[in-house]
Amino acid sequence: MVTLFDLIVSGFVALVVLPLAVSSLVAGSPPPPPNMFLAKYYLAEPRLMLASNLFLLAVCATAIQRLATHFGVLSEPVSRSLDIWISVPFVVLLLAFLGLFIKAILTVRRANRAA
């Protein structure tokens, strides 16, 4: 059962986050502004922005699948089989993002210790 909160969050992800992630990917996953809190980590690991954008696309696919199932565009059996096809890339991209983020944290810490 999908609650109103789930609908609001899934709608926000599908309508706001999806266009932002796609536009960032089309722009070539540019680095964040230098005054941003996490900018030093994204600059330390160049592939971190790409991994985070792809992970956001997997999150958006999950939100769209939930909305399509709730509004009857997808039937339950199709939704369950689609859920498997979305969950595997979701987990792989989550692990890739976490691995790259840990690598970036270690790189920044080493650079701070050396300075």
Side-chain angles (χ1 to χ4, degrees), residues 61-111:
T62 304
I64 290 170
Q65 182 242 346
R66 282 186 181 181
L67 288 172
T69 304
H70 175 73
F71 289 114
V73 176
L74 293 176
S75 64
E76 283 296 325
V78 172
S79 177
R80 275 187 256 122
S81 66
L82 187 62
D83 191 37
I84 294 170
W85 286 98
I86 294 173
S87 297
V88 173
F90 180 86
V91 171
V92 169
L93 289 167
L94 175 65
L95 293 175
F97 174 74
L98 290 175
L100 289 171
F101 197 71
I102 290 170
K103 185 178 173 187
I105 289 171
L106 294 175
T107 303
V108 168
R109 286 185 66 185
R110 278 190 218 115

Side-chain angles (χ1 to χ4, degrees), residues 9-69:
V9 170
S10 295
F12 177 79
V13 168
L15 295 174
V16 176
V17 176
L18 179 63
L20 291 174
V22 169
S23 67
S24 179
L25 278 171
V26 168
S29 296
N35 58 355
M36 192 175 123
F37 171 66
L38 297 174
K40 58 186 171 185
Y41 301 111
Y42 282 104
L43 294 174
E45 182 56 51
R47 291 180 213 94
L48 185 59
M49 185 63 83
L50 176 64
S52 62
N53 285 332
L54 291 175
F55 178 70
L56 281 177
L57 285 180
V59 171
C60 293
T62 304
I64 290 170
Q65 182 242 346
R66 282 186 181 181
L67 288 172
T69 304

